[in-house]
Amino acid sequence: MGNWRFLVRSVLIYLVVVLLCKSNGEIAPVLDGPPTLLPPIKPQEPDNEAPQPFPNEEISNLPVFTMDYPRIQLPFEITLWILLASFAKIGFHVYHKITIWVPESCLLITIGLIVGAIMHSVQEEPPAVLESNVFFLYMLPPIVLENGYFMPTRPFFENVGTVMWYAVVGSLWNSIGIGLSLYAICQIEAFGVQDINLQENLLFASIISAVDPVAVINVFQDISVNEQLYIVIFAEGLFNDAVTVVLYNMFVFVAALPVVESVDVFLGVARFFVVGLGGLLFGVLFGIVAAFTSRFTSKVREIEPLFVLLFSYLAYLVAELFGISSITAIVVCALTMRYYVEENVSQRSCTTIRHAIKMLATISETLIFFFLGVVTITTEHEWNWGYILGTLLFAFVWRGLGVLVLTQIINPFRTVPFDYQDQFGLAYGGLRGAVCFALVFLLPDTINRRKLFVTASIAIIMFTVFIQGISIRPLIEYLVNIRRTHKQETISVEIHRRVMEHTLTGIEDICGQWSHHYWKDKFKRFNDRYIRKILIRDNRAESSIVALYKRLELLNAMEILDTPNGDISAAPSIISLHDEKKASYRPKKKFHASDLKNMRDILSKNMYKIRQRTVEYTSKHALPDESRNKEILLRRHSTIRRSLRPGSFRDPAVARSQRYLSLHAGESLDAHFPPRGDSRSETDHPFARTRLAQSMRSSSSSSYAMRPLRRLGTLQETPLGEMSGGRPASVDVLNERSSVRYASPSPSPSSRPPSRTASARTAPAPTPRQRPPNTSAAAAARNEAEWETEEELEEVEEEPRAPHPSWAADSAQTRNPLLRQTPRKNP
Amino acid sequence: MGGFHSVPQDHRYRDLADKTGFSLEQIGNLHNRFKQLSHNEDTLRKDDFNKIPDLACNPIRAQIIEAFFDKRNFQSHGGGTVEEIGFEEFITVMSYFRPPSLNMSEEQREELRRVKLRFLFNMHDTDNDGTITLEEYRHVVEELLSRSGALCRETAKGIADAAMLEVASISMGHMEPDEFYEGITFEHFLTILKGIEIESRMHIRFLNVDTTVLCK
């Protein structure tokens, strides 16, 4: 249980620091006034004496050692809190299994409870992070920005109606339902809460109707529920917050009124729309401005990420200024600009933006849940069984009823209706979280049962987060059979999806029915024609098929680069293909032990670092991780181009030996390597090259990993010319241009299941059927496959030449040979 | 809208409604659109389709139009193409794009899926030999990418080849080096598209209002 160790350690760190602070300057007295951001800064009398070690005698001399804690107290303690929360996060990721079964928010709250208990026992005032301004101006924006920025756009827009329906109407439904029910409870004398009037009940209900599906989202991702359910839960939580905040403000206002007139109700409704649509407007406005700005930042790459953050925050603040929905504003802003900004900024900036957003959001969220735990212990509570149990019950019941009723209404409009399992997921996923917690602490003191509300809110958060949050995974996994989609990213699927979409658009055009696809198509065309031209500097539209293709190709390369970690010979590759094919000509390859060791050395030092860990793109706090792939791709393309330049065709043997001179084991290895007898110019066959580069992604990428292996003289390779009698291959290729030939790696020695990636690597051999399957043709095919392989290897071998001739020599720095150089932009 | 309330028309519509599953209103609307496209003739020709302005930008326009003239899509047996189609054929092709109904059993869903996928498959399999060959596949990809500008045909080819390789590896598992992959059969097509919920995605919302006045 590494997490406990960490936990204890972090608590200890914190305690040490707190004691340190306390012992110095004696900042003991607890403030009673309104709490500031962090524990009271109140060193009035200690100020004169404490910081100076020798206050009386040596006051005139220059102090050698001073301490001025009050000066740094605020940032210092903020830093410590964040650090503590982060340590906790590290802690329970050390023991990985725990986060699968217990949502992270539960763990954070638990740790918060423990820290709170410790603080309570030493009478430390908790930091007042939940001051209205601190929460809404600093903690909430990162979380919302993250959600908006990483929102899966396509499914969101496909389900936008449903999302809005649940978010807006669902929130209203919950608020009013719970509010009225609680009001009914208040009428029961036995509970002793008759003094809570209807407005206050409604206010409280609006607070606890905001669902926060963070914990559920992670579960849903892990078990890959269907896309519709996922996006509805995800986006509902987001817009739900906006609605709740609006409702809250309205009810706070109303609760302060002595008499509610009917005109106020209408004004409230009008305000509702102003707030929502205003947020939308500001969001789009700032999004476009941000996108437009990013068009001009190509010379100042280092501040590019800042623009994204600043403009989003600006949207939030300006919306806040006018009292319109700032959450909507920032979400819409992020949605609007993302597409354009990511095309404009450099690859690195893009990564930085994503990192920064993820990081800020994670910190905020961690802190909020953490403080939730702390505050639970350290605040005064007012416990009322009737009211609190009523709250729990009604929140649960109304959520369930709401989903049931709202789904019945929306289903006829949906093309994929939600079935009962989905509805269960929706209802049960209604956890309460950060916003609810923050809002209740913002309640004005004029509300006389404030403490009860705080207690009830914390109770419902705890209940939902712990009980529902922990039980939802087993429930969904074993009991409820929610439709799941196992997404498999393949080019074929992408191609067919696009075909289908275009077909649908076409059919809509033909039958003159304008609906979804029609408008999407129109928008896309408008976007391509005008918006992109204005907002994007380098306007090159890329089809999603091509994008996916590139990504897959690179992922594959990465994967194969990883394999040498284990058994090298297990990696299915062109090399092994060679060997299998040539088995009749020569003995099976054998490595000397020393060579093997050298190989491992080189591979592990130079290549293994490339891909530390694959992270799920959508996972809550994991960063999407495509950037590196792209960099490699760019590099690869540039090397292909370079290799096509006539000047770059030196004698391969010479080039190779030069390159490997610096390799500590290399010299001896190279001596064994027979020079290849092909002097044909590759420029003559550009087609063959491109084709290979594209169709043989598996082989090409595997040759990355296996390249050093080939150089080992112990392979005892025969020159190709001897083997197949003077290489008729090039002629063959020219003739075969119309039909493709796939290099056909032999059976993979590894016992890998034929999953997509694995099988793509051990690519079977589809060959055109025009080819008569007689033996001579097969032999020719084999021959050509080998030729292609050689080609591929050669092309790849160009790579390390470019950055450094001695890439292996500085392997001690464990630098990555493939990523060393900034990718050259395509001219 | 006078025409379609008369008795013989109504009867005909009812037959079509039974056959295709459209409502009478929808059939009426589609018939209006049909007449608009055919300039009040009884049959539609390819030229009529080519004149639809919205369709002009569609990268796979040719395939879409071809599908309307493909006998395989008329729910009758036999392959080949026809030169002109009547309203019945028109609406039969349209019926492939009806949304799934609310309560369907698993078998119905599966059947619907097969039917819809068959339509897509036929779009690719132009020579009606039961497989999508590499040439046919390349053609599709080229057409698809033809609008995105900067890409050359070689790229499209490369992608098609890679996709074909992928299909081969998914559907055939391991193959011997000298084995040939003939092309994508319908079964393989079903396998590779397992991931997308085609039955719920491939559909159009047929409105109950007449929009022909607004269309060009």
Side-chain angles (χ1 to χ4, degrees):
Chain A
M1 294 292 272
N3 56 323
W4 290 117
R5 242 193 353 261
F6 264 101
L7 166 69
V8 170
R9 202 178 301 162
S10 38
V11 169
L12 277 182
I13 290 174
Y14 176 75
L15 283 182
V16 166
V17 170
V18 164
L19 290 179
L20 201 83
C21 306
K22 277 185 159 309
S23 62
N24 160 61
E26 292 166 330
I27 323 172
V30 173
L31 267 195
D32 284 326
T36 50
L37 174 63
L38 280 172
I41 309 168
K42 71 139 316 191
Q44 257 112 17
E45 65 280 56
D47 222 0
N48 317 331
E49 297 141 41
Q52 293 157 6
F54 306 103
N56 294 329
E57 296 109 279
E58 291 179 285
I59 198 150
S60 54
N61 285 3
L62 184 72
V64 177
F65 178 76
T66 59
M67 248 173 105
D68 189 3
Y69 181 66
R71 188 164 157 257
I72 60 151
Q73 186 184 24
L74 187 73
F76 185 68
E77 291 189 0
I78 293 175
T79 316
L80 283 183
W81 275 109
I82 294 177
L83 208 58
L84 176 55
S86 311
F87 272 137
K89 224 173 145 68
I90 298 176
F92 38 73
H93 278 284
V94 168
Y95 186 64
H96 210 62
K97 270 181 197 145
I98 203 165
T99 40
I100 294 180
W101 292 104
V102 183
E104 218 177 78
S105 38
C106 297
L107 294 172
L108 281 169
I109 293 177
T110 316
I111 293 177
L113 285 174
I114 296 168
V115 174
I118 296 169
M119 286 172 72
H120 191 65
S121 61
V122 296
Q123 264 115 53
E124 173 79 4
E125 183 77 359
V129 187
L130 296 161
E131 260 304 284
S132 154
N133 281 338
V134 176
F135 180 77
F136 276 101
L137 297 187
Y138 306 113
M139 315 263 307
L140 191 56
I143 300 179
V144 185
L145 174 65
E146 192 247 7
N147 283 337
Y149 196 82
F150 292 99
M151 171 112 65
T153 329
R154 174 188 286 241
F156 171 68
F157 281 110
E158 279 172 8
N159 293 289
V160 69
T162 316
V163 166
M164 288 303 164
W165 174 254
Y166 282 117
V168 177
V169 184
S171 285
L172 283 172
W173 168 282
N174 278 339
S175 312
I176 293 171
I178 299 173
L180 291 179
S181 314
L182 284 177
Y183 185 58
I185 285 244
C186 293
Q187 305 313 307
I188 301 171
E189 247 172 73
F191 295 137
V193 280
Q194 287 101 320
D195 56 328
I196 305 176
N197 62 19
L198 181 61
Q199 290 98 310
E200 286 174 352
N201 269 320
L202 284 173
L203 173 60
F204 174 64
S206 78
I207 290 172
I208 61 168
S209 63
V211 298
D212 176 18
V214 177
V216 182
I217 283 296
N218 280 335
V219 174
F220 279 12
Q221 246 165 20
D222 284 354
I223 58 180
S224 59
V225 297
N226 60 70
E227 199 177 55
Q228 291 87 12
L229 182 59
Y230 177 80
I231 192 68
V232 167
I233 282 265
F234 184 92
E236 185 206 352
L238 202 52
F239 287 96
N240 200 308
D241 290 348
V243 176
T244 309
V245 173
V246 175
L247 276 181
Y248 172 83
N249 287 331
M250 249 164 61
F251 283 130
V252 165
F253 182 71
V254 170
L257 288 181
V259 189
V260 182
E261 289 173 35
S262 59
V263 74
D264 287 328
V265 177
F266 285 111
L267 285 179
V269 173
R271 178 166 169 76
F272 196 81
F273 283 102
V274 169
V275 165
L277 295 179
L280 197 74
L281 191 75
F282 271 102
V284 171
L285 196 72
F286 277 94
I288 289 177
V289 173
F292 192 64
T293 313
S294 71
R295 208 192 143 143
F296 303 102
T297 52
S298 57
K299 293 281 180 287
V300 279
R301 292 284 189 208
E302 57 278 6
I303 55 168
E304 254 171 7
L306 203 57
F307 283 113
V308 172
L309 300 179
L310 289 184
F311 273 113
S312 320
Y313 196 44
L314 209 58
Y316 187 87
L317 290 182
V318 172
E320 196 82 337
L321 169 71
F322 292 109
I324 56 182
S325 172
S326 42
I327 297 179
T328 317
I330 196 170
V331 167
V332 173
C333 176
L335 269 179
T336 315
M337 73 175 154
R338 178 187 174 185
Y339 173 75
Y340 304 105
V341 165
E342 291 202 344
E343 291 229 3
N344 271 336
V345 300
S346 73
Q347 193 59 47
R348 276 147 206 267
S349 305
C350 180
T351 314
T352 315
I353 291 168
R354 292 171 171 197
H355 268 274
I357 292 176
K358 281 277 182 199
M359 188 183 72
L360 292 175
T362 312
I363 291 174
S364 290
E365 212 171 77
T366 311
L367 279 182
I368 287 176
F369 279 114
F370 190 67
F371 283 127
L372 179 67
V374 174
V375 167
T376 306
I377 299 279
T378 48
T379 41
E380 290 173 62
H381 291 288
E382 180 185 341
W383 189 265
N384 183 309
W385 279 105
Y387 197 79
I388 288 169
L389 287 184
T391 308
L392 292 183
L393 180 73
F394 291 132
F396 195 73
V397 167
W398 281 101
R399 170 84 186 169
L401 270 183
V403 168
L404 209 63
V405 172
L406 295 182
T407 314
Q408 294 317 309
I409 300 173
I410 196 80
N411 255 351
F413 297 97
R414 281 186 61 82
T415 45
V416 193
F418 284 121
D419 53 22
Y420 286 110
Q421 278 84 20
D422 291 340
Q423 292 176 33
F424 172 81
L426 271 176
Y428 206 72
L431 310 190
R432 269 64 168 177
V435 171
C436 167
F437 173 58
L439 284 176
V440 79
F441 271 90
L442 305 187
L443 279 177
D445 289 327
T446 48
I447 293 182
N448 49 13
R449 287 296 190 121
R450 186 170 178 274
K451 278 183 203 155
L452 177 61
F453 289 157
V454 171
T455 311
S457 300
I458 289 180
I460 193 169
I461 294 171
M462 294 287 183
F463 177 80
T464 53
V465 168
F466 276 86
I467 299 197
Q468 282 175 231
I470 293 177
S471 64
I472 192 161
R473 179 189 286 265
L475 271 180
I476 287 185
E477 220 157 340
Y478 300 116
L479 291 181
V480 187
N481 186 23
I482 286 187
R483 269 183 303 132
R484 304 185 187 177
T485 20
H486 293 285
K487 267 211 176 155
Q488 199 186 23
E489 273 196 326
T490 58
I491 306 174
S492 316
V493 168
E494 186 64 30
I495 288 175
H496 290 297
R497 194 202 303 275
R498 292 297 297 261
V499 167
M500 188 179 73
E501 275 168 14
H502 283 303
T503 312
L504 291 178
T505 316
I507 298 288
E508 276 183 11
D509 290 338
I510 288 173
C511 68
Q513 306 270 2
W514 299 340
S515 65
H516 191 80
H517 300 277
Y518 177 85
W519 292 113
K520 204 176 116 192
D521 193 49
K522 280 277 168 293
F523 174 74
K524 194 167 177 307
R525 226 170 280 165
F526 177 73
N527 184 33
D528 282 348
R529 202 169 293 168
Y530 304 107
I531 307 183
R532 283 180 64 94
K533 288 215 172 104
I534 297 171
L535 295 184
I536 294 182
R537 183 161 40 83
D538 183 14
N539 190 5
R540 282 174 308 177
E542 191 175 54
S543 164
S544 64
I545 300 175
V546 182
L548 177 78
Y549 172 70
K550 285 184 182 169
R551 208 170 72 225
L552 284 180
E553 188 181 47
L554 287 157
L555 271 178
N556 212 338
M558 297 311 221
E559 217 154 87
I560 288 163
L561 280 173
D562 243 6
T563 20
N565 189 34
D567 186 7
I568 301 179
S569 53
S573 70
I574 297 307
I575 304 301
S576 60
L577 159 75
H578 267 264
D579 295 331
E580 295 289 337
K581 291 247 185 77
K582 294 173 195 163
S584 51
Y585 301 98
R586 61 198 175 87
K588 243 185 139 37
K589 67 174 172 186
K590 278 194 212 89
F591 296 120
H592 294 316
S594 60
D595 286 342
L596 206 65
K597 193 178 162 295
N598 282 334
M599 265 157 34
R600 287 235 170 112
D601 226 33
I602 297 162
L603 287 172
S604 60
K605 278 186 182 146
N606 289 292
M607 299 190 153
Y608 187 62
K609 285 281 151 58
I610 287 177
R611 190 184 55 140
Q612 283 88 359
R613 198 176 299 160
T614 31
V615 267
E616 184 62 10
Y617 169 74
T618 36
S619 113
K620 182 70 182 159
H621 292 304
L623 279 160
D625 188 61
E626 305 145 287
S627 50
R628 276 173 299 176
N629 307 348
K630 211 170 201 170
E631 283 171 21
I632 290 195
L633 184 81
L634 289 172
R635 246 180 78 49
R636 215 184 101 137
H637 281 178
S638 67
T639 41
I640 292 173
R641 259 201 320 283
R642 195 166 47 239
S643 64
L644 282 172
R645 249 179 273 131
S648 65
F649 295 116
R650 281 158 287 178
D651 182 61
V654 175
R656 224 164 269 130
S657 53
Q658 275 170 353
R659 189 150 49 82
Y660 278 85
L661 274 179
S662 51
L663 198 151
H664 44 291
E667 300 94 327
S668 63
L669 296 176
D670 252 11
H672 292 277
F673 188 69
R676 287 182 13 198
D678 55 330
S679 57
R680 97 203 105 76
S681 159
E682 279 145 314
T683 35
D684 288 345
H685 316 295
F687 164 65
R689 188 172 270 287
T690 358
R691 193 184 80 203
L692 285 161
Q694 280 148 354
S695 69
M696 295 184 45
R697 61 196 171 96
S698 50
S699 51
S700 72
S701 40
S702 60
S703 54
Y704 272 91
M706 302 313 286
R707 175 164 24 83
L709 305 193
R710 266 195 97 258
R711 300 298 135 237
L712 296 173
T714 42
L715 281 177
Q716 300 294 338
E717 252 178 86
T718 4
L720 278 171
E722 288 170 36
M723 197 193 71
S724 55
R727 275 199 96 78
S730 55
V731 185
D732 197 354
V733 161
L734 285 172
N735 292 343
E736 290 287 326
R737 189 168 290 198
S738 58
S739 67
V740 78
R741 171 90 32 71
Y742 297 98
S744 41
S746 57
S748 136
S750 70
S751 57
R752 213 177 294 267
S755 70
R756 187 194 61 74
T757 43
S759 54
R761 209 181 302 149
T762 62
T767 359
R769 55 195 174 129
Q770 293 94 324
R771 194 175 187 84
N774 60 36
T775 43
S776 69
R782 201 173 296 159
N783 183 16
E784 189 191 318
E786 278 158 14
W787 178 82
E788 285 170 352
T789 317
E790 289 300 315
E791 183 75 16
E792 191 60 26
L793 283 172
E794 202 168 280
E795 169 198 320
V796 165
E797 276 156 14
E798 301 281 335
E799 294 231 25
R801 204 179 295 159
H804 230 263
S806 58
W807 59 274
D810 58 2
S811 61
Q813 302 167 28
T814 65
R815 284 169 71 192
N816 182 339
L818 294 175
L819 294 174
R820 171 144 335 131
Q821 225 184 26
T822 327
R824 267 200 305 176
K825 282 274 171 192
N826 291 349
Chain B
M1 295 237 251
F4 79 85
H5 282 299
S6 60
V7 180
Q9 273 286 38
D10 203 32
H11 184 66
R12 210 184 128 208
Y13 281 170
R14 219 172 278 283
D15 283 349
L16 285 175
D18 289 342
K19 197 178 161 201
T20 59
F22 283 114
S23 73
L24 288 181
E25 257 172 324
Q26 287 167 337
I27 292 184
N29 291 331
L30 285 173
H31 198 188
N32 285 346
R33 177 66 177 167
F34 181 82
K35 282 190 286 194
Q36 188 192 18
L37 290 177
S38 65
H39 306 287
N40 281 325
E41 304 273 326
D42 281 344
T43 54
L44 270 177
R45 299 174 155 276
K46 282 184 187 167
D47 279 351
D48 297 320
F49 282 102
N50 282 326
K51 280 180 202 145
I52 302 173
D54 289 324
L55 205 56
C57 305
N58 202 313
I60 53 168
R61 177 172 70 152
Q63 276 93 336
I64 296 173
I65 296 175
E66 202 59 52
F68 276 90
F69 295 91
D70 193 333
K71 276 189 194 157
R72 285 173 293 172
N73 292 336
F74 300 152
Q75 293 173 2
S76 56
H77 296 285
T81 54
V82 290
E83 281 305 306
E84 47 182 33
I85 53 167
F87 180 58
E88 191 178 334
E89 284 82 30
F90 180 74
I91 204 165
T92 312
V93 175
M94 282 294 173
S95 71
Y96 284 99
F97 296 94
R98 283 180 43 239
S101 52
L102 268 179
N103 303 309
M104 289 178 85
S105 65
E106 274 307 308
E107 294 86 57
Q108 281 172 319
R109 203 169 263 281
E110 196 50 42
E111 184 54 34
L112 187 71
R113 179 181 169 81
R114 284 186 78 92
V115 168
K116 293 198 172 200
L117 280 174
R118 177 58 85 173
F119 183 86
L120 283 185
F121 186 80
N122 286 347
M123 273 177 75
H124 297 311
D125 180 22
T126 42
D127 59 357
N128 190 22
D129 62 350
T131 53
I132 302 173
T133 54
L134 186 68
E135 272 69 38
E136 287 163 346
Y137 210 29
R138 275 184 182 170
H139 182 64
V140 172
V141 177
E142 266 170 37
E143 296 271 300
L144 262 186
L145 296 178
S146 60
R147 298 275 159 188
S148 47
L151 286 159
C152 55
R153 293 169 77 87
E154 296 302 327
T155 319
K157 257 191 197 133
I159 290 177
D161 294 354
M164 198 72 169
L165 190 67
E166 194 181 71
V167 175
S169 61
I170 291 174
S171 49
M172 300 292 284
H174 176 70
M175 291 171 80
E176 288 306 311
D178 49 354
E179 223 176 312
F180 300 135
Y181 188 61
E182 295 285 328
I184 308 169
T185 63
F186 186 58
E187 294 307 315
H188 295 167
F189 194 67
L190 285 178
T191 328
I192 52 173
L193 292 186
K194 235 176 0 198
I196 17 181
E197 296 158 328
I198 205 102
E199 68 276 10
S200 51
R201 279 182 168 271
M202 185 172 138
H203 65 81
I204 287 174
R205 180 162 293 165
F206 288 96
L207 306 174
N208 285 329
V209 285
D210 193 11
T211 52
T212 36
V213 252
L214 302 168
C215 300
K216 281 164 272 181

